Amino acid sequence: MYASSRRSTHPTDPIARIMVWPVATMPGEASLLEVAESLASDGIGAVGVVENGRLAGVVSERDVVTHLAQGANPEHVTAADVMTTDLVVARPDDLVLDAGRRMLEAEIRHLPVIDDDKIAGFVSMRDVFEVLIDAASHEEDVVVVPSGTRVVVRQD
């Protein structure tokens, strides 16, 4: 797993403050087995698939499990065969909160960060969640309650 030494980050800070670099990447012709080994050895949830020097797609743990469950042979199926190509991305100056919303709306767990058409980093839902929890624990206007409980917060 990538280690980071983050200072306090706020949801309105740019995601460049929390994105992970270097990014694990693989060529499109890498086998699903190689992708799985990379995910496991690096302790990460997704790898970028790079073709011709550009991010062509993303393969996540979910992609690997889905294809294996469908009977795919991990030695013969490639990263290009299983990668997500309809990418939802962010820019380094996008806000943490906006990146989190984008991930929630797209139902993704890993968000590539692109700068000048090159991959600049990755942000995971865990990275965003950590910032939001930290902010919630320091904000006096935030009330944390069990799921399903209705709360009204008034500003006087």
Side-chain angles (χ1 to χ4, degrees):
M1 173 154 301
Y2 294 107
S4 67
S5 57
R6 292 190 194 134
R7 59 181 198 248
S8 181
T9 305
H10 193 270
T12 57
D13 287 339
I15 60 170
R17 298 244 346 244
I18 65 168
M19 70 183 186
V20 173
W21 178 261
V23 173
T25 62
M26 309 221 48
E29 61 270 6
S31 72
L32 193 58
L33 180 60
E34 291 171 314
V35 171
E37 289 171 344
S38 178
L39 292 170
S41 68
D42 289 340
I44 55 175
V47 297
V49 179
V50 177
E51 294 177 348
N52 300 319
R54 303 266 186 235
L55 182 67
V58 172
V59 178
S60 70
E61 291 171 313
R62 186 186 302 174
D63 297 323
V64 173
V65 169
T66 298
H67 283 82
L68 290 176
Q70 293 172 349
N73 182 332
E75 294 178 359
H76 296 113
V77 174
T78 66
D81 294 334
V82 303
M83 70 183 179
T84 299
T85 57
D86 187 19
L87 296 176
V88 175
V89 300
R91 294 174 28 91
D93 58 349
D94 288 348
L95 304 181
V96 172
L97 190 57
D98 293 338
R101 280 190 188 114
R102 192 171 301 144
M103 294 170 77
L104 182 65
E105 290 168 2
E107 298 180 358
I108 59 173
R109 298 176 185 179
H110 305 91
L111 184 67
V113 181
I114 305 295
D115 192 20
D116 291 329
D117 292 327
K118 293 189 169 100
I119 187 162
F122 252 94
V123 174
S124 73
M125 67 176 188
R126 183 174 291 131
D127 299 323
V128 173
F129 192 67
E130 182 179 324
V131 172
L132 297 177
I133 290 297
D134 186 51
S137 67
H138 293 95
E139 295 287 333
E140 291 151 10
D141 293 340
V142 176
V143 178
V144 179
V145 296
S147 179
T149 303
R150 293 182 179 196
V151 175
V152 176
V153 178
R154 287 191 197 168
Q155 296 288 333
D156 292 331

